[in-house]
Amino acid sequence: MVTSREIRLKNRPVGMPTADDFELATVELPTPVEGQVQVRNIWMSVDPYMRGRMNDAPNYVPPFALGVAMQGDAIGEVVQSNDQSLKPGDLVQSMNGWREAFNAPANKVRKLDTHGLPPEAFLGVAGIPGFTAYVGLLHIADLREGDVVFVSGAAGAVGSMACQIAKLKGHRVIASAGGVEKTAFAKDELGVDETIDYKSVPDLTAALAMAAPDGIDVYFDNVGGEHLDAALANAKTFGRFALCGMISDYNAASQPMGVRNLLMAVTRSLRLQGFVILNYVNLQSAFAKDLAAWHAVGKIKWRQTVFHGVEQAPHAFLGLFSGENIGKMLVKLS
Ligand SMILES: NC(=O)c1ccc[n+]([C@@H]2O[C@H](COP(=O)([O-])OP(=O)(O)OC[C@H]3O[C@@H](n4cnc5c(N)ncnc54)[C@H](OP(=O)(O)O)[C@@H]3O)[C@@H](O)[C@H]2O)c1
């Protein structure tokens, strides 16, 4: 028997979750039966969308059940195999995060070819966050020559990639993030043209107007709320908004107030389009090809913020909402 520690959701939080909403449990794993593999996780991802899964409400992914291990993107190593398709030492990606180890049918994990990248990049820049930035900018916002691009949550996993793709395509980019360290990262490492430390400006709409005196063509929205209002107020006619996420609303204990400047969508002929990345898997190979080409010429940079040990996973998750991460928030498990 092998033991594995795992994190379970104990309560459905109302408003901002706390450490008390999670519990740490230990389970024993038997030898994998025929067709199964045993995997020891090395890395797991914590992601803002998981907050929605803590509510017992309809969503595009089902709610987490109480009292069982939570799920999420993870990368691990096969330690025992009872299936021909995988052997010990193979790296695999699965949705069995929030635990140290697990048994699963071999066809429920995906063998990972890292193409020379560190494995954890497939939870960030080369994984869902990077792919989300790619789809949102190039296909949802339909980036066009000369566009001025505004990105919120710019120092995070999705936002940092959105900034870089827009710069690679030759655009003027304005990046909003919370705090001096994050805006310096956006400017110095991601190469954006202007930054806004939204936590220190008295008026976000005025700050954006100063950074983009002629207005913005594209808004990549990771945040919603006040950022979306500021972008609407500063949009040029025929502006295009990729609504990727609205993290400022995820912990609202009651219905969020709503968007104040939505009338601009009418008067300026704007297009606002939301998207969920799971609906765009057909673009995955194009993303992999472009990313490989950009990476080969040293054009993609990434950072990660790492917590250690499964017992730290709730803290890492909560840190997404207080902005503790620069780049991708990860938990190293072994
Ligand atoms: N549509 C899709 O398919 C899809 C896929 C993946 C992710 N997403 C969305 O993309 C967004 C970014 O996700 P990520 O994984 O890259 O996370 P992330 O940006 O790496 O981490 C979250 C960041 O959000 C910022 N934040 C937290 N609360 C905020 C608030 N009230 N107002 C403004 N900023 C706040 C914090 O940065 P600061 O310190 O700068 O505040 C924090 O570091 C999220 O909205 C997520 O739900 C959507």
Side-chain angles (χ1 to χ4, degrees):
M1 286 281 189
V2 166
T3 61
S4 167
R5 293 180 307 156
E6 61 187 35
I7 298 291
R8 300 172 175 179
L9 186 65
K10 194 163 70 174
N11 312 303
R12 298 207 179 280
V14 176
M16 182 67 79
T18 69
D20 290 341
D21 294 319
F22 303 86
E23 62 188 343
L24 182 66
T26 302
V27 295
E28 291 194 332
L29 301 177
T31 303
V33 298
E34 198 175 337
Q36 277 191 335
V37 287
Q38 188 169 95
V39 175
R40 182 148 290 279
N41 276 332
I42 304 169
W43 293 96
M44 61 162 271
S45 175
V46 289
D47 298 277
Y49 82 91
M50 292 169 172
R51 177 63 186 88
R53 296 192 68 185
M54 294 177 180
N55 301 331
D56 191 12
N59 204 331
Y60 62 94
V61 267
F64 290 125
L66 296 180
V68 298
M70 293 166 64
Q71 294 104 43
D73 213 353
I75 288 167
E77 183 184 328
V78 174
V79 285
Q80 285 190 65
S81 178
N82 207 337
D83 191 85
Q84 281 183 347
S85 63
L86 290 167
K87 58 179 187 322
D90 283 344
L91 282 180
V92 292
Q93 191 154 6
S94 77
M95 285 305 287
N96 294 329
W98 296 89
R99 70 202 78 183
E100 292 176 319
F102 62 91
N103 287 350
N107 63 6
K108 294 286 184 208
V109 300
R110 196 161 46 85
K111 192 169 171 181
L112 182 66
D113 178 352
T114 62
H115 301 279
L117 290 172
E120 68 274 24
F122 290 84
L123 300 176
V125 67
I128 296 280
F131 182 40
T132 301
Y134 180 88
V135 170
L137 260 190
L138 303 184
H139 294 273
I140 307 298
D142 188 20
L143 207 56
R144 297 171 196 167
E145 206 180 324
D147 280 345
V148 174
V149 179
F150 176 44
V151 179
S152 59
V158 175
S160 59
M161 190 62 171
C163 288
Q164 292 186 86
I165 295 174
K167 283 312 297 174
L168 271 163
K169 298 276 178 188
H171 296 272
R172 178 174 162 75
V173 177
I174 298 143
S176 167
V180 180
E181 195 185 353
K182 292 191 178 191
T183 51
F185 165 63
K187 189 126 197 178
D188 302 341
E189 291 187 41
L190 307 178
V192 305
D193 301 278
E194 297 282 343
T195 59
I196 298 171
D197 171 1
Y198 78 92
K199 286 186 175 163
S200 75
V201 294
D203 179 344
L204 187 55
T205 299
L208 183 55
M210 209 138 89
D214 298 325
I216 58 167
D217 301 278
V218 163
Y219 175 43
F220 192 105
D221 191 14
N222 285 315
V223 166
E226 208 193 328
H227 275 83
L228 179 53
D229 268 321
L232 283 163
N234 282 284
K236 288 190 206 169
T237 300
F238 297 122
R240 285 150 280 127
F241 285 33
L243 304 182
C244 171
M246 300 197 176
I247 195 167
S248 67
D249 286 345
Y250 293 175
N251 291 304
S254 57
Q255 198 74 349
M257 226 189 42
V259 186
R260 286 168 301 174
N261 291 330
L262 196 54
L263 182 58
M264 300 294 179
V266 178
T267 57
R268 295 184 189 164
S269 301
L270 307 179
R271 196 185 76 205
L272 280 67
Q273 185 179 342
F275 69 105
V276 169
I277 197 61
L278 302 178
N279 296 328
Y280 295 86
V281 284
N282 58 314
L283 298 172
Q284 192 116 36
S285 54
F287 166 63
K289 199 166 146 228
D290 282 344
L291 181 68
W294 294 331
H295 179 60
V297 293
K299 295 278 190 194
I300 297 292
K301 295 183 178 155
W302 67 90
R303 278 223 213 161
Q304 53 203 30
T305 300
V306 180
F307 283 74
H308 292 268
V310 74
E311 69 281 7
Q312 288 297 318
H315 187 167
F317 172 73
L318 297 174
L320 291 169
F321 301 100
S322 49
E324 283 185 46
N325 60 308
I326 293 190
K328 177 69 191 131
M329 185 72 105
L330 292 170
V331 183
K332 180 93 165 67
L333 296 175
S334 62

